[in-house]
Amino acid sequence: MTGFAPVEPATATGKAAELLADVQKTLGLTPNMTKAMANSPALLKGYLALSGALSGGALPAPVRERLAVATAEYNGCEYCLSAHTYIGANLAKVDTPELEAARDAKSSDPRIQALLTLSDAVARGRGQVDDTVLQAARDAGATDEEIGEVVGHLALNVLTNYFNTLAKVDNDWPVVPLHAAV
């Protein structure tokens, strides 16, 4: 089976039309991912709600984008890797070496490194994390609010990674190829 057919804003109806209009108004564009998600207005609404809630949280955009890049690389989602590399560089103003390092859950900033390590450990351990990893995040200055948001962002990123991969969403971002599988 091929991917999901995108729901075009010009021909969308009902709740899908409303949600896609909100995306266009908020972002100034309607990414292919949201057009594909509009096949299930409940999914698109849920994605937008969680994304919106987390964007107003304690973690700043440069950290959120690094988390997204690390998760996309880990999950093999070229769409999300491309999107968050672009957003990270152009909107969150993360420099190229830091975005490249984030692909391997690395950062030159010790606090961000601890958050990336935590997110990576949660993903790889499917929620089971050694206490030393959690303590290292706290020792680096992460609050419980931020640690909770790391899990929220991981969930959001896994949602979009899995959806884009399953739906075979056409990449409408400048393509960033995944690292070769080891």
Side-chain angles (χ1 to χ4, degrees):
M1 178 176 166
T2 58
F4 288 28
V7 176
E8 294 300 332
T11 57
T13 59
K15 191 65 176 170
E18 292 172 31
L19 292 166
L20 290 171
D22 288 346
V23 169
Q24 177 67 37
K25 182 179 176 185
T26 301
L27 300 179
L29 60 113
T30 310
N32 286 341
M33 180 187 79
T34 57
K35 292 177 189 177
M37 282 184 169
N39 281 287
S40 169
L43 172 63
L44 180 54
K45 183 178 179 181
Y47 160 73
L48 293 172
L50 182 55
S51 179
L54 290 171
S55 71
L59 293 175
V63 173
R64 296 192 310 261
E65 294 309 317
R66 285 176 178 97
L67 291 167
V69 164
T71 305
E73 184 70 46
Y74 175 68
N75 285 324
C77 181
E78 187 176 89
Y79 185 96
C80 290
L81 179 62
S82 300
H84 291 285
T85 298
Y86 180 86
I87 294 165
N90 294 287
L91 301 178
K93 304 300 183 193
V94 179
D95 64 33
T96 300
E98 278 293 304
L99 286 170
E100 186 61 33
R103 294 176 70 167
D104 296 315
K106 302 288 183 206
S107 175
S108 63
D109 180 299
R111 186 171 176 285
I112 296 170
Q113 176 61 64
L115 294 171
L116 286 165
T117 298
L118 176 61
S119 180
D120 190 60
V122 172
R124 292 175 189 278
R126 296 182 306 268
Q128 299 293 320
V129 176
D130 190 275
D131 289 342
T132 60
V133 174
L134 185 57
Q135 189 58 50
R138 287 188 170 124
D139 291 347
T143 65
D144 285 349
E145 179 181 17
E146 293 168 323
I147 291 167
E149 287 180 26
V150 164
V151 176
H153 281 284
L154 181 59
L156 178 67
N157 293 321
V158 167
L159 168 68
T160 59
N161 293 172
Y162 288 7
F163 178 80
N164 286 315
T165 300
L166 174 73
K168 297 181 172 100
V169 174
D170 286 334
N171 194 347
D172 48 352
W173 301 93
V175 175
V176 176
L178 295 161
H179 287 158
V182 198

